Amino acid sequence: MKRSFLLFLLVCSIIGNAQPPSGYYNSTTGLTCASLKTALKTIITTGHTNQGYSALWTQYQVSDI
């Protein structure tokens, strides 16, 4: 019983902290269909640099420290 309660608290704390920054989705307000999809793609890809599969082993060394 105690173990399941602790697991419940852990899950609740993770979900409670997994919120987007304030204003993150403001550009999608009122959009539907294709324009909503385009706005979400822009939000997701802004600041992202595709490393491709050739950088996979280098990324493992950095990300798995």
Side-chain angles (χ1 to χ4, degrees), residues 4-26:
S4 61
F5 180 71
L6 290 174
L7 180 61
F8 173 75
L9 286 177
L10 177 66
V11 170
C12 287
S13 68
I14 291 171
I15 291 172
N17 290 325
Q19 300 299 319
S22 179
Y24 188 72
Y25 292 112
N26 283 352

Side-chain angles (χ1 to χ4, degrees), residues 6-46:
L6 290 174
L7 180 61
F8 173 75
L9 286 177
L10 177 66
V11 170
C12 287
S13 68
I14 291 171
I15 291 172
N17 290 325
Q19 300 299 319
S22 179
Y24 188 72
Y25 292 112
N26 283 352
S27 63
T28 62
T29 303
L31 300 178
T32 59
C33 300
S35 57
L36 175 60
K37 179 184 168 212
T38 303
L40 290 172
K41 180 183 181 291
T42 302
I43 291 170
I44 292 169
T45 57
T46 299

